[in-house]
Each structure stands twice: as structure tokens, then as C-alpha cells.
Amino acid sequence: MNGIFTDEALQQKFNEEGYVILDLLSDDHLETLRKLFFEHIPDYKNEDLYESSRNRPDEINDLLNDRMQEIFKLALHPYSGDNPIFGGTFLVKPAYSKNFLPLHQDWSIVEEDRYQTAFIWCPLQETNSDNGGLFVVPGSHTFFNNRKSGSLPSPRVNFNEVIRSHTMNLTLKPGQAIIYSDNLFHGSGPNPSDNPRIIATARIVEKGAPLTYYQKQDDDKIGVYYFTKDNYLNGIKYLAKGEVPPGVKPAYYEDDHNQVINESTFTAKLTGQNIETQRPERSQQQQSMSNPVINFFKTYTPANIVREIYYRLQSKDDHAQKVGEFYDRHHLDFMEVYGDLIQAFRTTDIEKILDYEFESIGLEDGMTVLDAGCGVCRPAIHFSQKANLHIKAISISKSQIEHANSLIASSSANQIELFNEDYHQIDKVFHSGTFDRVYFLESFGHSTQKKRLLQSVWNVLKSGGSVYIKDLFARKTGNKADQKAIYEEINKINNQYHYQVAELSEILDTAREIGFVIEFAKTIDIRLEDFENLTISNKFQELTGIYKIESFENYIFPVDFIELKLYKPAFNIEEGKDRYFLQNLLLQNQSK
């Protein structure tokens, strides 16, 4: 192993700490990158963690890759010589992003016993703990020698007091770059600031290293596969699922020596304890493989390695699975406190809020309706008793589905069908144009892929149908200190409830981009004397300790409860781009 730096002292520091920080880019290079970003990345506000390579068309990605590689190759040549530069993408946390990336490692893409590779992370503005800056655990790249891939997932490590005390928050000036090992444990915080946090990234690979993928074969063996850049790109859909593309054969096999990585074993490495870190027993391995979790990986564009850099690709099923496990684990707690209606914003007499929701959703006899995140189906049962509805109810929680089955059996509601599924998959579970109405009653916020979710809703709605969302949204204020405190509280909610409290403006923008028309977006209109005043949430916190507020002295309430209704037009608005929307409606009605 020769390393990736030509300077001996720099290479030694990289070997010891797992990263180095360089004053890398000139003002001219920074200005070029900023111009590239603002000219070609107009949609960066769409996601809490935005990656240009996953969102821009191929020709734009190729342009960005070529220009960024050219800049980084020139800037790094004095430090790294002829070692190749791959990739080139922008990673963005827009203003007020709540995204938090816990400590994690990245995929193995070379034979790490023989070669080195490192990620280049270069901010276009100062980054620190106040705007989504990077944090690292120095030296942690030596803790575990695990292979990491789609079939060998690298877990996230949550903070405890010991881990936090060994974690370093980095402050980087514009043009500085941290170059860190794929094995270094690192993460980044939310960006509650007014401005986007923009990072230019690429990868440096030791010269001569073949692109490598590690595939778990069985409980004892790992297959080692070599890929060309194009083959890696073409096979990325398989690799992301923990599979190998058809017809690809391993170059060789090696024994599986992966160790358990979690809060306990990571803490033991920090404190020098000698505890068991060997890989799990067979039953645990089989359980893990039956539901693989892909936490993070990076890949590269076709001009280099592959089309996309996935800085953080958690398995699409992972978060939903954790939501299901959360509700399964606390099912009896929810039933004890909330009863059959798991909603925080409610009336003392729950019939009143259910009647209100019935009217707001716009339910009528004969409709086919989807209850997305149905809980134990108390709303669905109530609605079916007020109108002749065909209701499909979906929940990721097995305990909720079992409880809902018993409630439905003891009621007069006989047209409710239950599905134990991830609601992001509704357009795979149901046919296109199935539903007149889709509703989310304080369940929408559990999604970390809201654009994908709304697109799935669009697909299963009939033309002329609508989706109703009642949920909590991030509160906004003109006071910067208060806004920062709000996002800190929201981050606690997100972490403890497996939630992602949404920004109202982002949801409305996303819905309009998909094609929805906004019928209304407003606070929930119930009489103040009927409001339950959220005391039920406080009872749940007291019972479980989840998001328990120790003192209200300086507490700032972080959310607004808002209801949205979005309409799927009954005609193709693309055919009337020159007209105001209401003119299109008038034209449609006149043509009937």
C-alpha cells in the first residue's frame, strides 16, 4: 500500500487520524464552483440532503463531473501526484434543513487491505456546527476492518457521553477541504441557518486500485468482485439491494471477519475495553440478511465510476421498518394513553375531531378511499359508519394491524381492508387511479421521502381525486435565536418518534411540481373549548420518557398543526399552459 499522498508527513497524519485538512482551492476555483452550482442546480431546496448527481440530468452531471475533476486534479496534484480523481457532485443542506447524519462509514470500493481511497469534502462557504458542518472521531478508521456494501451494511452509531466527548466538530473555511478515509466514522448536523450549506465533493483513489465490491455469500464467506466503471454503473441497482448483477462472477472469496458495530462496541474501542466484537451468530446474520439495511454509500458518475454519489443512502425500507418497530414496541403504551385514536391534535370528545376530518377530507357515498398510516383504524371505522365507503387501510406496524382487525370485527364496518405495508409503496400495492380520496392523519410526517410519497399518492389517485394531510409542520419565526431553538426541538422529535417534521413551503412546492392543485392549507378550525390542548401527548411522554420535556421555562413550542388538501386535476393541464388555471376549469366544464 503506497497511499494517496506524495508528502510523507501528510500521509502519516492521514494514516494516524483518518483525515487531513488542506487549504485546497483558490478564490478563482471557488468562484467557478459557485457559478456552476447556481447555474445548474436550481432544485437544491427540494430535499433536506440534496445530491446533484441523483437529481440532475446526465448531461448536467457529466458537465459538473468534468469541471470538478479538473479543478480538484489541479489543486491536489502537489499533494497527491497522479492518483486519479473520480466523481464530482454537490452535496447541499438547504437553509433550515433538519437533516442529521449520525456517525457512519462509507462503502468499501477498493481492496482496503491493499489500497487507499478517500473522500474530498470542500465547502463553498464556512461550515461549522451551526450550519450542518462535519463531525468526525479521529483515529476511528482503525477500529474495525469490516467490508461494507449493500449486503454488508455499515450501521449508524448514536452518541452517548463517551462517544460525544471523542467527537470533533470541524470548522472549515471556504476552499479548505477535509480528505477522509472511507473507514473514518463521520457525520453532519442540521442546518438551521438562513443560507444553504454547499459542499463540492469528489474522490481520490490510489493509482492502480481496481473498483471492488464485496458480496456476502453465506455465514462464513464473502465474494470479492472486480468491476469496470461502466459495469459498476449498470449494476448499481442490484448492488444497492445487496445483490450482484446476473452473470457477474467473483474474482475470489475471503472469510467473513466482519465485527459487530454498535454503540457498545464503538465505545469499547474508544476506552480500550476488550469486549466481544465478533460477528453475530448465524440466526442473527440470517435475520439481518432477510431485511438488509443499507445505511450509506458513495458511488460515482459514468464519466468516472458511476452516475451517482450516494453520500447517504439508507435502505428505502429501513426507516419505514424502524417506524413499524417503534409502534410495535410501544403499542400498549399508545393504547393506554391515546386509546384507539392515535392523534395528538384532537378534541376532548374524539367524535368531534373525527366528524371534522370526515368533512375536511370530503368523503361521500360510493368512494374508494385510502387511509395511509391507519393506526388501529378508529378513523376508518368512524368514516365507514357515516358513509358507504370502500376503505383500504395501510400500516407498517403489525401490532396495529392485529388490533385494527379486532376493532373492525367488533364494529359494523365491513368494507375496510387492511394492508401491512410501507405506504411509500402504495403505487405498487394498488393500481393506478384506484382512489377518490387518500388521507394522512398525523402519519405523513413519518416519511423521510415525502416527494416519493406524494408521487405515489398521485399515481393511485383518480383524476379529480384529492389527498388530505393533517400533520405537524415546522413553526416559523423571524427571531433567529428562537428559530434555532425550534429546530433543536424538532430534531429531538424526529429522533425519538422516527419522524421528519416537514416544512410547509417545501411540501407545497413539491406538490405543485408533481401537478397537484392546492385546495387549502390552513390551521385546523375547531372551537377552542373543544380542543384537548395536547395534554394527552404529555401523558405519553410521562409514561414512556419519549421526548420528555423537563422544563417549560425556556421551551419554545416547535410546530404548527396544519391541514392540507391537494387536488389532482381531472384534465391534462399541459394542454392549457397559456391559460390561468381557473380558465382551464371553465373550459373543461364548457366542453362537457
Side-chain angles (χ1 to χ4, degrees):
M1 183 184 295
N2 296 318
I4 56 176
F5 295 105
T6 54
D7 181 87
E8 185 175 339
L10 203 60
Q11 183 64 49
Q12 182 177 350
K13 181 175 176 59
F14 181 82
N15 291 343
E16 292 175 355
E17 300 290 329
Y19 71 95
V20 297
I21 296 175
L22 301 175
D23 294 324
L24 189 63
L25 299 185
S26 66
D27 290 343
D28 288 343
H29 284 155
L30 283 172
E31 186 59 33
T32 299
L33 289 172
R34 291 188 185 111
K35 185 177 180 181
L36 279 173
F37 177 82
F38 286 108
E39 282 185 3
H40 299 292
I41 315 294
D43 58 341
Y44 69 89
K45 296 181 181 180
N46 288 352
E47 300 176 9
D48 266 1
L49 178 60
Y50 176 93
E51 304 167 29
S52 61
S53 57
R54 288 202 291 142
N55 290 276
R56 305 304 295 145
D58 290 354
E59 61 271 17
I60 297 299
N61 282 333
D62 286 341
L63 170 66
L64 296 177
N65 300 155
D66 290 344
R67 295 300 305 278
M68 293 170 79
Q69 286 175 48
E70 179 183 328
I71 288 172
F72 281 126
K73 186 173 183 178
L74 182 64
L76 277 168
H77 189 269
Y79 305 100
S80 188
D82 294 329
N83 283 319
I85 307 295
F86 293 134
T89 193
F90 289 106
L91 298 179
V92 189
K93 287 192 177 183
Y96 311 122
S97 169
K98 299 179 291 296
N99 178 271
F100 177 82
L101 283 176
L103 289 169
H104 65 281
Q105 295 173 298
D106 299 322
W107 264 21
S108 309
I109 66 162
V110 298
E111 295 168 291
E112 292 170 335
D113 299 330
R114 301 175 58 199
Y115 302 100
Q116 287 187 339
T117 179
F119 198 67
I120 305 164
W121 198 90
C122 182
L124 304 192
Q125 68 295 301
E126 180 173 330
T127 59
N128 52 49
S129 59
D130 292 329
N131 69 342
L134 208 65
F135 51 81
V136 301
V137 179
S140 60
H141 64 303
T142 64
F143 288 179
F144 304 93
N145 191 30
N146 285 16
R147 308 309 191 193
K148 307 171 296 291
S149 70
S151 66
L152 296 162
S154 172
R156 293 174 294 175
V157 178
N158 294 318
F159 284 131
N160 58 27
E161 290 186 10
V162 174
I163 296 173
R164 190 182 297 276
S165 69
H166 285 79
T167 300
M168 180 181 294
N169 289 302
L170 301 178
T171 295
L172 296 179
K173 302 294 184 182
Q176 286 189 311
I178 177 173
I179 302 174
Y180 62 84
S181 166
D182 289 343
N183 286 325
L184 183 75
F185 283 85
H186 61 282
S188 63
N191 175 23
S193 74
D194 297 332
N195 300 305
R197 186 220 68 180
I198 307 168
I199 310 299
T201 72
R203 178 178 295 279
I204 183 170
V205 176
E206 187 174 340
K207 190 174 183 179
L211 186 60
T212 305
Y213 178 80
Y214 293 93
Q215 175 70 15
K216 184 172 180 60
Q217 303 293 319
D218 52 38
D219 291 322
D220 301 309
K221 294 293 182 183
I222 293 174
V224 183
Y225 294 75
Y226 293 147
F227 282 84
T228 65
K229 298 173 187 178
D230 289 340
N231 286 343
Y232 202 100
L233 169 65
N234 295 334
I236 195 64
K237 299 296 184 183
Y238 292 95
L239 304 181
K241 294 185 294 184
E243 302 172 1
V244 173
V248 179
K249 303 296 183 183
Y252 61 92
Y253 295 96
E254 65 178 26
D255 292 337
D256 183 355
H257 295 299
N258 275 12
Q259 297 176 304
V260 176
I261 300 177
N262 55 32
E263 184 179 321
S264 297
T265 59
F266 194 84
T267 302
K269 292 289 185 180
L270 288 170
T271 58
Q273 298 177 50
N274 184 20
I275 69 171
E276 181 63 43
T277 60
Q278 295 304 309
R279 59 195 179 93
E281 296 298 325
R282 177 171 181 169
S283 60
Q284 293 174 290
Q285 285 281 350
Q286 288 173 334
Q287 182 180 2
S288 174
M289 287 302 296
S290 67
N291 184 20
V293 178
I294 307 167
N295 288 312
F296 303 98
F297 68 100
K298 301 183 183 84
T299 54
Y300 308 90
T301 64
N304 308 294
I305 299 182
V306 295
R307 175 62 59 194
E308 303 175 342
I309 293 184
Y310 292 104
Y311 180 76
R312 182 184 77 111
L313 183 62
Q314 185 175 346
S315 167
K316 293 179 179 179
D317 298 325
D318 181 38
H319 181 78
Q321 187 69 27
K322 289 181 178 178
V323 170
E325 291 170 356
F326 171 76
Y327 279 104
D328 288 341
R329 184 167 60 251
H330 294 288
H331 177 67
L332 295 179
D333 298 329
F334 276 106
M335 293 302 98
E336 178 178 342
V337 176
Y338 285 86
D340 295 335
L341 185 67
I342 308 174
Q343 294 183 34
F345 191 101
R346 53 199 274 161
T347 50
T348 305
D349 176 2
I350 65 171
E351 300 290 320
K352 291 184 178 181
I353 191 64
L354 291 173
D355 286 343
Y356 177 89
E357 290 165 351
F358 180 90
E359 296 298 329
S360 293
I361 296 168
L363 298 174
E364 299 176 2
D365 284 341
M367 283 185 170
T368 301
V369 180
L370 176 63
D371 185 335
C374 63
V376 297
C377 275
R378 182 67 177 85
I381 292 171
H382 183 86
F383 300 157
S384 68
Q385 292 169 339
K386 293 177 66 71
N388 180 24
L389 304 171
H390 303 276
I391 300 179
K392 315 289 185 183
I394 189 169
S395 173
I396 194 68
S397 166
K398 294 179 181 178
S399 296
Q400 289 184 347
I401 292 293
E402 291 172 0
H403 193 112
N405 262 316
S406 65
L407 287 182
I408 293 168
S410 61
S411 73
S412 59
N414 56 9
Q415 295 195 80
I416 301 176
E417 188 177 358
L418 297 171
F419 297 82
N420 184 205
E421 298 283 353
D422 173 3
Y423 61 18
H424 296 90
Q425 305 293 331
I426 55 177
D427 56 352
K428 296 180 175 61
V429 177
F430 305 107
H431 294 299
S432 177
T434 297
F435 298 104
D436 299 285
R437 298 287 186 272
V438 176
Y439 61 82
F440 297 84
L441 301 177
E442 298 187 27
S443 59
F444 185 76
H446 281 299
S447 172
T448 57
Q449 304 172 69
K450 292 182 174 63
K451 183 174 184 179
R452 173 187 169 191
L453 179 57
L454 284 174
Q455 185 64 62
S456 296
V457 170
W458 174 276
N459 294 340
V460 300
L461 271 176
K462 297 176 182 177
S463 295
S466 60
V467 53
Y468 174 83
I469 300 169
K470 168 182 174 267
D471 217 313
L472 48 158
F473 292 82
R475 183 179 170 188
K476 307 300 271 187
T477 174
N479 185 306
K480 291 185 178 181
D482 286 353
Q483 193 66 59
K484 182 177 180 181
I486 284 169
Y487 281 121
E488 289 173 353
E489 291 301 321
I490 285 175
N491 201 39
K492 295 176 186 176
I493 294 172
N494 291 342
N495 289 337
Q496 296 191 41
Y497 281 96
H498 300 279
Y499 225 69
Q500 189 184 71
V501 175
E503 296 279 354
L504 178 60
S505 60
E506 292 179 5
I507 297 302
L508 294 178
D509 285 347
T510 298
R512 295 172 69 195
E513 288 169 5
I514 291 171
F516 284 108
V517 176
I518 301 170
E519 289 196 41
F520 60 73
K522 61 188 182 69
T523 54
I524 301 167
D525 187 18
I526 62 173
R527 298 193 312 169
L528 187 60
E529 55 266 32
D530 291 333
F531 181 47
E532 187 271 339
N533 204 29
L534 301 179
T535 55
I536 200 164
S537 297
N538 297 336
K539 291 178 183 178
F540 185 76
Q541 293 162 12
E542 290 292 331
L543 176 66
T544 63
I546 295 173
Y547 187 53
K548 187 174 181 180
I549 301 169
E550 300 295 343
S551 171
F552 285 91
E553 183 177 350
N554 297 311
Y555 180 73
I556 299 175
F557 195 76
V559 298
D560 292 318
F561 285 90
I562 293 175
E563 56 178 344
L564 311 177
K565 195 170 184 182
L566 310 171
Y567 165 72
K568 180 178 179 179
F571 62 95
N572 184 4
I573 199 169
E574 292 294 312
E575 296 177 0
K577 288 184 177 180
D578 60 324
R579 295 184 179 89
Y580 180 63
F581 179 74
L582 291 182
Q583 289 180 307
N584 277 328
L585 280 178
L586 178 63
L587 181 65
Q588 179 199 20
N589 291 332
Q590 289 175 342
S591 65
K592 288 183 178 177

